[in-house]
Amino acid sequence: MARSTHVRRPATLASLAAELGVSRTTVSNAYNRPDQLSPELRRRVLETARRLGYPGPDPVARSLRTRKAGAVGLLLTENLSYAFRDPAALGFLEGLALACEGAGQGLHLVPVNPEREDVAAVHRAGVDGFVVYSVPDDDPHLAAVLSRPVPTVVADQPHVEGVDRVGIDDRGAITALAKRLIALGHRRVGVLCMRLTRDRNDGFVSTDRAETATFHVQRARLAGLTDAFSAVGVDWGRVPVVERFDHSISSGASAAAQLLDADPHVTALICTSDILALGALAEARRRGLRVPQDLTVTGFDGIADADRAGLTTVRQPVLEKGRAAGKLLLASVDPTRPREITLNTELVPGATAAPPRTAEERWFGP
């Protein structure tokens, strides 16, 4: 004879309330508004829930009822691992997480491959608002974010009319760095930059590409360098600029090698990020070049590894940028009034910049 089996139905909010002899609101408050119950009553509700196998309120049903997801979405047009591998991105992520923690909100990462369009990921994200982290002007994922009826804050780039933004004065910051190199006597320089558009280019950059770059942070930094060096008579059209699509130390090393092979007489490599600069330092060591005696190298960001390397760079407050973006998004102010926060930067003199060697020093030097 077949043995019958009995499967106990999982407890529900209603059955738990009936078991306890309390209202369903009381049970709900034990999970969602514990301050509304005495500690003893809440303990009794939770203990009974565990005994009966009640898993707690359904978060999906709750979000449908309240029309709130309880989470902030971070749009990152990079692979997910980038957020935990790139020091500047990691610092920004930490700051944003701190802002979310302070507001009792979750954080939902929405990473998308930079070489593959996936706007569905944006539309699927169950979030109450978006922080968009450093995307190009023409990014389709940004357009998808802006099509949703939720508040949005852009961090760094791009500038979007009517959308709140947190960033720095990239052009002004790198101009200060350029003026320092100019004061040291550098006129024959080369530049290593991060990606300028959504299409991959691992090579030299034309003037037109630099001026029409859709990543406006890189466009602004190149423009600042152009203005500063042109003002002292440098023909910027003859300055070699090498771009790398992937942001890594190895990319910085290969870019430095490409530029130095093409023009071994440059006296300084100006890098638009510390990561690229660390790669350039590695390539200089490989070639037997002394920094800064034979070659000046500068960066941008002020990450911890740059500090340890003594890199001459621009430090930006990446953690505070993330925190400010989160607070701006979560602030209960008039959402129709666009706001912009511009954070201060600091020029770090470092130990990788010095006056260029003279021709005699190059000939007779070691």
Side-chain angles (χ1 to χ4, degrees), residues 21-352:
V22 298
S23 69
R24 287 184 292 181
T25 299
T26 297
V27 174
S28 177
N29 284 342
Y31 291 91
N32 301 317
R33 302 179 65 192
D35 58 304
Q36 300 296 305
L37 306 181
S38 68
E40 173 58 28
L41 178 55
R42 183 169 186 262
R43 181 190 61 77
R44 189 159 65 89
V45 171
L46 296 179
E47 285 184 353
T48 304
R50 282 192 293 270
R51 178 169 57 83
L52 298 181
Y54 176 63
D58 182 350
V60 175
R62 181 176 181 275
S63 65
L64 289 173
R65 185 174 63 256
T66 63
R67 302 187 69 81
K68 293 289 184 182
V72 168
L74 172 61
L75 177 67
L76 180 75
T77 54
E78 299 286 349
N79 293 315
L80 181 59
S81 60
Y82 182 85
F84 302 96
R85 186 179 68 249
D86 181 85
L90 187 58
F92 178 87
L93 182 61
E94 180 182 357
L96 179 57
L98 288 171
C100 291
E101 287 175 10
Q105 294 288 302
L107 180 58
H108 179 76
L109 298 185
V110 189
V112 290
N113 190 301
E115 296 184 278
R116 186 174 63 249
E117 186 175 318
D118 182 19
V119 296
V122 173
H123 293 301
R124 286 194 306 265
V127 297
D128 299 319
F130 281 97
V131 171
V132 177
Y133 181 59
S134 199
V135 304
D137 301 341
D138 59 348
D139 193 274
H141 308 96
L142 171 63
V145 165
L146 297 178
S147 73
R148 294 189 53 173
V150 295
T152 299
V153 171
V154 169
D156 285 336
Q157 56 189 340
H159 287 281
V160 181
E161 183 70 28
V163 177
D164 297 342
R165 178 182 171 271
V166 175
I168 62 172
D169 178 3
D170 289 279
R171 190 168 186 159
I174 206 162
T175 296
L177 177 64
K179 287 181 177 179
R180 178 172 179 80
L181 297 184
I182 289 168
L184 288 173
H186 291 281
R187 298 296 186 273
R188 192 160 184 175
V189 300
V191 180
L192 311 183
C193 71
M194 296 168 63
R195 74 176 71 133
L196 298 177
T197 69
R198 292 171 57 211
D199 63 290
R200 179 178 286 273
N201 174 52
D202 291 312
F204 287 96
V205 175
S206 67
T207 300
D208 180 67
R209 182 175 177 84
E211 292 177 349
T212 60
T214 53
F215 279 93
H216 92 245
V217 164
Q218 296 299 301
R219 186 172 73 237
R221 292 179 189 177
L222 292 178
L225 293 173
T226 302
D227 291 345
F229 281 96
S230 296
V232 294
V234 174
D235 180 0
W236 192 256
R238 299 175 65 85
V239 172
V241 179
V242 174
E243 175 185 358
R244 283 295 182 266
F245 189 86
D246 295 323
H247 190 222
S248 65
I249 291 177
S250 61
S251 291
S254 68
Q258 186 175 9
L259 193 149
L260 292 172
D261 285 344
D263 189 351
H265 300 297
V266 296
T267 63
L269 290 180
I270 306 171
C271 307
T272 63
S273 81
D274 286 346
I275 292 293
L276 295 178
L278 292 172
L281 289 175
E283 177 60 20
R285 287 193 298 270
R286 191 188 72 80
R287 291 172 178 252
L289 295 174
R290 298 175 302 167
V291 175
Q293 295 93 332
D294 300 322
L295 181 69
T296 282
V297 177
T298 67
F300 198 109
D301 284 332
I303 63 176
D305 283 348
D307 287 342
R308 285 189 282 270
L311 185 67
T312 299
T313 188
V314 173
R315 179 180 293 126
Q316 61 168 317
V318 290
L319 188 145
E320 183 52 38
K321 187 188 294 181
R323 193 201 304 266
K327 287 184 175 180
L328 195 57
L329 184 73
L330 297 165
S332 55
V333 297
D334 180 3
T336 64
R337 181 173 63 86
R339 297 152 294 169
E340 182 160 350
I341 297 174
T342 302
L343 301 172
N344 293 325
T345 58
E346 175 191 0
L347 178 61
V348 181
T352 61

